[in-house]
Amino acid sequence: MIRALFIVFLGMLLYSAIKTVLRAASRSYHEGERKAQVHGAEMVLDPQCRTYVIKDRATARRIKGNLIYFCSEDCANKHEAQSRT
């Protein structure tokens, strides 16, 4: 009887562990589909240095008709120079 209860307990524990791992994996997989948010502030990806910046604080440039956000003027200038060549 004790052995059966022990097996049931281990089964439940294993089920819970697998469910937690799968849920975390699913969350991290779908995280890239959402916009990055920090305390309600929208984040944008700097294409030059690949860092996220709060949109309100980012430097914006219109390059080839597209509005692109950068973390600094330096990154914006480097990106513009690279896109010209």
Side-chain angles (χ1 to χ4, degrees):
M1 181 68 180
I2 292 177
R3 184 183 297 174
L5 288 174
F6 184 69
I7 290 173
V8 168
F9 175 74
L10 284 178
M12 290 173 51
L13 187 64
L14 182 63
Y15 170 76
S16 177
I18 291 173
K19 187 170 95 173
T20 302
V21 168
L22 290 176
R23 186 176 293 154
S26 174
R27 238 183 266 133
S28 67
Y29 176 76
H30 293 290
E31 192 172 283
E33 297 174 1
R34 295 185 220 136
K35 290 183 179 176
Q37 298 253 336
V38 173
H39 301 290
E42 185 177 351
M43 303 286 287
V44 290
L45 179 63
D46 181 328
Q48 181 64 33
C49 64
R50 310 293 297 167
T51 59
Y52 282 94
V53 185
I54 296 174
K55 188 175 183 177
D56 295 339
R57 298 180 188 167
T59 300
R61 294 277 176 91
R62 189 164 297 276
I63 300 174
K64 297 180 182 176
N66 296 324
L67 189 60
I68 302 174
Y69 295 94
F70 300 93
C71 66
S72 65
E73 287 289 329
D74 188 42
C75 279
N77 293 336
K78 286 179 186 176
H79 189 78
E80 276 187 317
Q82 286 179 354
S83 66
R84 287 184 195 143
T85 58

